[in-house]
Amino acid sequence: MAERWRPETHTFHLPEGEMTITLKDVAILTGMPISGDAVIGPQTKPEGGWGPLIRDRLGFDMPTTTPIQGRGHPPLNAGQVSVPWLVSHIQQEVVINDETPEEQVERYARIYLISLVGGFLFPDKSNRWIQGIWLELLTGDWDAIGQKSWGSAVLAGLYRELCTCSKVGAKQAGAAMFILQLWVWEHLPMFAPADPRPYRRNDDELNFLQNLPYGVK
């Protein structure tokens, strides 16, 4: 599909004509909102760096030195947060029960959101780093987070990455490529699995699926 993508028109050039992924596709396949405030944020790091922001919003410090001197990168490096370190921290530290303070539950939820958005919806090619911009966008007011047009931003990122990976010599791609996969399965059925769920769904499962995005089905 990347070889069929034309950056000049943001469409796939196919033998039958041109097609592209639209906002409607994103909304139906993923359930993400496509209206609301634009997803934009600061282009420079906050005053004092990312460390104080992480400590204030997420409640812990991220190391800025490598675990083994001279090898690898520190978990917090030049405005980027390590996805494996963040996931490992959640798995080791998070214990939620009826006695967990609401403030702590909220912090865990923000960590999950940052991992989801920065590592799944807007991943880099290594799939190991989250840009610091998400720390500010996802640690503010809860209502403001939900009112943003996330679907529009994800589609724009997918367009940009398709323009990049369609160039000669490109070997990797970032962005939310799972949307492209779902879109291909829906609109070009010759590439889709014959039946991804060969067994019959029961009534409870069918009722549960009614409330989920089409891409889950």
Side-chain angles (χ1 to χ4, degrees):
M1 296 306 297
E3 293 173 352
R4 295 282 184 174
W5 181 260
R6 296 305 306 168
E8 300 85 356
T9 57
H10 289 160
T11 57
F12 297 104
H13 282 215
L14 306 174
E16 295 78 10
E18 297 181 44
M19 296 179 67
T20 195
I21 307 170
T22 66
L23 280 174
K24 182 178 180 180
D25 290 317
V26 173
I28 293 176
L29 291 172
T30 70
M32 286 187 288
I34 58 174
S35 61
D37 298 333
V39 179
I40 56 176
Q43 298 298 313
T44 58
K45 65 180 181 181
E47 185 177 352
W50 297 106
L53 178 66
I54 294 175
R55 190 183 310 112
D56 176 61
R57 303 290 180 84
L58 301 183
F60 58 84
D61 291 303
M62 291 197 70
T64 56
T65 57
T66 55
I68 302 176
Q69 192 65 27
R71 296 182 59 186
H73 298 283
L76 180 59
N77 181 42
Q80 299 184 113
V81 177
S82 169
V83 176
W85 190 94
L86 204 57
V87 172
S88 175
H89 177 81
I90 296 176
Q91 293 174 341
Q92 293 176 8
E93 301 294 335
V94 174
V95 177
I96 297 178
N97 52 45
D98 294 338
E99 299 178 357
T100 305
E102 183 177 350
E103 180 182 359
Q104 192 68 15
V105 174
E106 183 174 311
R107 284 177 174 172
Y108 293 152
R110 293 189 190 280
I111 294 173
Y112 172 78
L113 276 179
I114 292 170
S115 302
L116 175 67
V117 173
F120 185 63
L121 298 181
F122 300 93
D124 67 359
K125 292 182 176 63
S126 70
N127 210 29
R128 293 182 56 86
W129 297 98
I130 298 173
Q131 298 300 319
I133 183 178
W134 304 118
L135 294 174
E136 292 202 85
L137 286 177
L138 297 172
T139 55
D141 179 74
W142 282 111
D143 291 334
I145 295 173
Q147 292 171 0
K148 294 184 181 297
S149 180
W150 291 102
S152 303
V154 170
L155 181 60
L158 181 58
Y159 275 15
R160 182 175 64 178
E161 194 60 32
L162 283 170
C163 291
T164 300
C165 73
S166 64
K167 296 179 180 178
V168 175
K171 298 180 180 180
Q172 293 178 308
M177 286 297 172
F178 75 95
I179 295 178
L180 172 60
Q181 182 180 30
L182 292 175
W183 181 86
V184 169
W185 286 1
E186 173 64 17
H187 294 281
L188 304 174
M190 71 285 295
F191 296 118
D195 189 351
R197 300 284 296 278
Y199 57 87
R200 181 174 178 176
R201 298 184 174 98
N202 57 44
D203 291 339
D204 291 338
E205 187 178 14
L206 289 174
N207 292 333
F208 176 72
L209 290 174
Q210 294 301 318
N211 299 318
L212 297 178
Y214 183 71
V216 178
K217 304 174 187 180

